[in-house]
Amino acid sequence: MYKLPNKLLLLLILGTYIFLICLVPLKLYKLGLIDIFGQIFPALDVVIIYYFSTYTNVRYWMLFIIGIILDHVYQLPVGLNSFIFITSNILLNYISRWFILKDEITNVLIFYAYSGVIIGFRYIIFLTKNNYGLEGFSIYFYYLTTIFSYPILRFLIHKPLTALTRYAG
């Protein structure tokens, strides 16, 4: 009788939790505590999109809308992130035919390649758009912090998601 309202409430709680994970770095940036546009801060958008692409069914129109929003945030050409995310998701779906992505070690190893493609393509477009050279090893630090933050953020997303979906029935 109350199954649908409970499921909607739990999905709202989960959506709010994921939104807060994305919002905390922005608030810390506004307070001047961290620089989210710097080379050391991990790409949270890549981590969250990869997680939901491997464990749930993400539609292409969702990736398109997320990409348009991220183009505005990163001040990149309109449609670039959408193109990158949709192309990477198509490749991920193609690769998932041969690998079991829900296995933890395989999931992390595939994430290395997935994030490398996205971050590399973003940097190439950014450099050609702005006629800007890399300062030192900034792309490597950005890539490494993204890779090392994935297991932590995966844990922060996976545990509440499994708990809430178990009670949503």
Side-chain angles (χ1 to χ4, degrees), residues 14 51-52 55-56 156-166:
L14 179 66
Y51 176 82
F52 283 108
Y55 288 100
T56 62
L156 289 175
I157 296 170
H158 188 69
K159 291 299 179 183
L161 180 68
T162 55
L164 288 175
T165 54
R166 180 178 45 215

Side-chain angles (χ1 to χ4, degrees), residues 42-54 58 63 66-67 70-71 74 76-77 79-93 95 109-127 139-140 142-144 146-147 150:
L44 292 179
D45 54 341
V46 175
V47 172
I48 292 172
I49 288 173
Y50 178 77
Y51 176 82
F52 283 108
S53 294
T54 55
V58 177
L63 292 174
I66 292 169
L70 289 175
D71 287 335
Y74 289 129
L76 291 171
L80 176 70
N81 277 315
S82 299
F83 174 72
I84 294 171
F85 288 142
I86 290 172
T87 305
S88 299
N89 201 10
I90 289 170
L91 290 173
L92 184 68
N93 290 335
I95 288 172
L109 291 176
I110 296 295
F111 176 73
Y112 294 166
Y114 182 84
S115 63
V117 167
I118 291 175
I119 291 171
F121 197 70
R122 275 187 190 166
Y123 261 79
I124 288 171
I125 297 299
F126 178 75
L127 294 177
I139 190 170
Y140 301 116
Y142 187 59
Y143 179 63
L144 288 175
T146 302
I147 287 174
Y150 174 69

Side-chain angles (χ1 to χ4, degrees), residues 60-72:
Y60 294 130
W61 64 269
M62 292 178 189
L63 292 174
F64 179 76
I65 292 171
I66 292 169
I68 295 294
I69 292 169
L70 289 175
D71 287 335
H72 180 68

